[in-house]
Amino acid sequence: MRVVEQASEVAAPSDDVWERVVSSEGINDEMRPWLTMTMPRGAEGLSVDTVPLGVPLGRAWIRLFGIIPIDYDHLSIASIEPGRSFHEKSTMLSMRSWQHERTLTPVSDSVTRVHDRITFEPRLPMRLASGLFVRVFAAFFARRHLRLARHFS
């Protein structure tokens, strides 16, 4: 298993940040321009905040430039603390195990600390490139944090 962590502060109240990070629109805005992610069939209109816990929702397709399907996330939310954190435990076409934990911590009334912890295990033969995945995911989540902060600036 490999781990990537990213933390930053966003100039917005934690309730506003939470509303953004659990919405499909907010998730896709963070991932753009490189990637977007669909909601699984039948889960459209749901957000991380409203999905049933521990139940696989189906395939959320990850698309390069919002067009070309390159992977899928067999999405499942293991736990949620509304307004504060969620923990996704999934598998992907490329990953035997994928976990994304996001935690929001109010720093003040108008600043929120966002912390992501990604734990993953690539499928063979991708395991050989797991060091590369660490660097790519670190850069990708740093960019996600930058885009989230920009949304509120």
Side-chain angles (χ1 to χ4, degrees):
M1 296 288 261
R2 296 294 190 119
V3 177
V4 172
E5 294 193 59
Q6 175 68 37
S8 62
E9 291 185 357
V10 175
S14 60
D15 288 344
D16 293 349
V17 176
W18 179 259
E19 185 177 316
R20 181 71 178 172
V21 302
V22 299
S23 71
S24 182
E25 177 186 337
I27 292 165
N28 281 312
D29 185 61
E30 283 183 36
M31 296 174 72
R32 282 190 179 99
W34 309 113
L35 301 173
T36 60
M37 186 170 80
T38 66
M39 284 296 281
R41 245 183 237 156
E44 298 88 354
L46 295 177
S47 75
V48 172
D49 217 7
T50 59
V51 298
L53 298 181
V55 176
L57 299 173
R59 291 181 178 172
W61 286 96
I62 298 167
R63 296 181 175 161
L64 184 64
F65 306 119
I67 300 168
I68 304 163
I70 59 168
D71 204 347
Y72 65 80
D73 183 344
H74 199 232
L75 190 61
S76 181
I77 302 300
S79 64
I80 192 164
E81 188 178 333
R84 173 141 169 72
S85 67
F86 66 80
H87 184 178
E88 172 198 351
K89 284 186 177 181
S90 302
T91 60
M92 299 174 76
L93 180 62
S94 61
M95 300 290 154
R96 180 181 321 272
S97 174
W98 173 265
Q99 294 186 50
H100 177 197
E101 300 169 78
R102 178 167 274 187
T103 304
L104 305 184
T105 306
V107 174
S108 69
D109 288 344
S110 60
V111 177
T112 303
R113 182 176 187 268
V114 179
H115 178 260
D116 284 307
R117 178 182 172 89
I118 296 82
T119 307
F120 64 94
E121 180 182 1
R123 294 186 188 274
L124 289 174
M126 292 183 183
R127 239 184 234 181
L128 300 173
S130 62
L132 175 62
F133 282 122
V134 168
R135 291 189 297 279
V136 168
F137 292 149
F140 181 67
F141 274 84
R143 173 109 174 116
R144 285 185 70 165
H145 280 234
L146 178 65
R147 288 187 59 86
L148 179 60
R150 279 189 192 157
H151 173 77
F152 289 103
S153 63

